[in-house]
Amino acid sequence: MITTEEIIEISDKYTFNTYSRYKIVAARAQDGYIIDKNGKKYLDFTAGIAVNSLGYDDKGLKNALKAQIDKILHCSNLYYNEPQALLARELCSLGGLSAGLDGTTHFQRAFFCNSGAEANEGALKLARLRAGKGRGNFISFKNSFHGRTTGALALTGQTKYQQGFEPLIGEVRFAEFNNFESVAAAIDNSVCAIFLEPIQGEGGVNPAERGFLEAIRKLCDEKNIALIFDEVQTGIGRTGKFFAYENFGVKPDIITLAKGLGGGVPIGAILARGEFAEVFKPTTHGTTFGGSPLACTAGLYITKKVAQPDFLANVRKMSEYFKSQLQSHSSGLKGQGLLLGLEVEGKPADYVRKALEKGLLILGAGENVLRFAPPLTITKAQIDEGIKILKEII
Ligand code: PLP
């Protein structure tokens, strides 16, 4: 039988050296735990970086996927497929209702792709095409993260990811997050869109302020600029609402989704409202794999389940419990729902390593933040177990 050491050796030799990996081989998962090849269990407060929204044991999801595999795995976008049609309708119907702002459908159309970066690339193209020639610039934010493809990278406000890849696309102006004056100062007629995460995830779990988003919404309306929310990490129930923007009462023109939408099956999506939904035409955008029956089966099952008021209420309840247990220990607690950050002294990576040794998987974010993004199905007992380890290492 192949050993852990052999898998690591082969992997290190034959895959690109793009990741600093911890030396465990994830063999299977069960009930909120990842189990390595040697049988050691790790409580998972990462959910594959906000991906495994329903944990690892949702029988309904597994059965839906198995049934779809028996029907058809992939078909091109030259033809229609049922899961894609139903998922598009489901996501569009949620935009207004679950927001509870005006009770009407907010988004009119969806486009499916395969990842967060790809969704952002599509949104970028959409905004440029709508604005027309001479209006190809963007405003994004310091400490943001939008992905690794060249367009998404250009929007990412962290130079460490961009170095060596310049020139990236056109001009992106980086404003200060939660500082409206810096946004207003960067606006002119060449800007087609403002791109932002309602809670900056990778940059340190930094939530936007409501007034900041309201002021940006107003500015975008006045200047006829697209407001694009990257909810790749914050969407699909992660913050206790289906879309994170519902926490702020401010709706974007375009939203990008991925991660939790497929619960582990790769999928990305762009939703757009009104005239923004009518910009793309045949030839202007497309993808081979996007909207496959398999990925959309996962997306449809997860969307229907997560959007249920009871499910979202439980995410908020678990979030409150998680925060109450950590609060007694630290003041630097931030985030919403089950996307939480805790400020620490020293490097996050050191804490992540210590937690791993004790059987808990956590993430770092920004310069000094530990990030917790467990499955949305996490239980009180699992929170207790994880917090006990966190208290030992902090
Ligand atoms: N946008 C945000 C907010 C993200 O957190 C990420 C990934 O961490 C991305 C985009 C990129 O997504 P992907 O890795 O699926 O390309």
Side-chain angles (χ1 to χ4, degrees):
M1 200 183 66
I2 190 162
T3 64
T4 293
E5 290 70 28
E6 284 165 340
I7 293 170
I8 291 172
E9 196 186 320
I10 295 168
S11 211
D12 285 349
K13 185 165 176 196
Y14 288 105
T15 63
F16 278 11
N17 186 22
T18 43
Y19 306 106
S20 319
R21 302 191 208 242
Y22 299 97
K23 297 213 177 300
I24 63 173
V25 174
R28 57 199 177 87
Q30 196 181 20
D31 193 25
Y33 296 83
I34 285 189
I35 300 158
D36 77 11
K37 217 173 144 45
N38 302 324
K40 182 169 176 190
K41 276 174 90 177
Y42 299 86
L43 179 59
D44 185 10
F45 277 13
T46 74
I49 319 189
V51 167
N52 299 298
S53 24
L54 301 182
Y56 299 101
D57 289 318
D58 193 288
K59 295 227 165 21
L61 176 61
K62 288 183 183 177
N63 288 339
L65 287 171
K66 284 176 191 161
Q68 188 56 48
I69 286 171
D70 284 340
K71 286 186 207 156
I72 181 167
L73 262 184
H74 168 80
C75 78
S76 77
N77 282 303
L78 293 174
Y79 317 109
Y80 293 88
N81 79 69
E82 181 178 325
Q84 184 183 126
L86 299 187
L87 177 58
R89 184 178 67 182
E90 193 70 24
L91 286 169
C92 289
S93 71
L94 285 174
L97 295 176
S98 94
L101 299 177
D102 53 18
T104 57
T105 299
H106 180 61
F107 299 113
Q108 274 76 51
R109 288 183 190 271
F111 173 83
F112 294 109
C113 53
N114 307 285
S115 69
E118 194 187 348
N120 286 335
E121 292 288 330
L124 185 160
K125 279 178 69 182
L126 199 170
R128 276 194 169 169
L129 198 59
R130 172 193 174 254
K133 269 214 161 77
R135 289 192 66 198
N137 293 339
F138 292 87
I139 294 180
S140 180
F141 291 88
K142 291 182 185 158
N143 288 322
S144 61
F145 185 82
H146 298 292
R148 313 293 190 131
T149 51
T150 47
L153 196 57
L155 293 162
T156 291
Q158 301 186 57
T159 43
K160 67 179 176 197
Y161 294 118
Q162 297 178 328
Q163 265 160 16
F165 301 110
E166 303 91 348
L168 294 163
I169 57 125
E171 193 181 330
V172 180
R173 301 164 185 184
F174 290 100
E176 302 277 343
F177 201 55
N178 284 329
N179 176 339
F180 179 69
E181 278 70 42
S182 72
V183 180
I187 285 277
D188 62 25
N189 286 339
S190 71
V191 172
C192 64
I194 299 181
F195 236 95
L196 64 85
E197 299 157 87
I199 302 174
Q200 290 186 329
E202 210 271 344
V205 192
N206 307 317
E209 284 160 15
R210 194 187 185 100
F212 173 67
L213 293 185
E214 284 169 351
I216 288 186
R217 176 70 274 176
K218 197 159 163 273
L219 183 71
C220 286
D221 290 340
E222 283 164 11
K223 304 273 185 195
N224 196 19
I225 287 170
L227 179 55
I228 305 175
F229 283 181
D230 175 344
E231 291 223 25
V232 165
Q233 186 158 164
T234 57
I236 326 296
R238 178 57 51 195
T239 67
K241 301 273 185 183
F242 191 83
F243 298 111
Y245 72 73
E246 299 169 51
N247 295 299
F248 305 94
V250 173
K251 290 179 175 184
D253 301 307
I254 301 166
I255 192 169
T256 56
L257 304 168
K259 288 188 181 278
L261 179 58
V265 181
I267 184 170
I270 309 170
L271 309 181
R273 72 167 187 87
E275 58 158 314
F276 299 89
E278 307 302 329
V279 171
F280 282 142
K281 299 276 180 274
T283 74
T284 49
H285 202 53
T287 162
T288 298
F289 290 117
S292 86
L294 189 74
C296 290
T297 293
L300 184 61
Y301 180 89
I302 286 167
T303 298
K304 282 185 165 171
K305 185 149 183 174
V306 171
Q308 283 170 17
D310 287 357
F311 187 97
L312 290 169
N314 192 55
V315 172
R316 295 194 292 272
K317 194 168 142 195
M318 288 304 119
S319 170
E320 286 313 310
Y321 185 68
F322 201 126
K323 287 193 272 190
S324 70
Q325 296 308 97
L326 265 186
Q327 204 102 50
S328 56
H329 206 67
S330 167
S331 52
L333 186 58
K334 47 191 182 168
Q336 266 171 343
L338 290 171
L339 179 58
L340 297 171
L342 181 68
E343 283 171 10
V344 287
E345 280 169 21
K347 287 198 189 120
D350 295 338
Y351 294 88
V352 173
R353 198 172 300 278
K354 277 188 207 157
L356 182 107
E357 280 161 16
K358 290 181 179 284
L360 175 68
L361 305 180
I362 56 173
L363 299 159
E367 296 298 309
N368 64 341
V369 173
L370 303 183
R371 179 174 33 153
F372 313 116
L376 304 180
T377 49
I378 192 169
T379 62
K380 257 186 168 179
Q382 288 167 346
I383 294 174
D384 288 342
E385 187 185 331
I387 301 263
K388 187 166 169 283
I389 295 175
L390 286 175
K391 286 185 174 172
E392 284 165 20
I393 63 165
I394 293 170

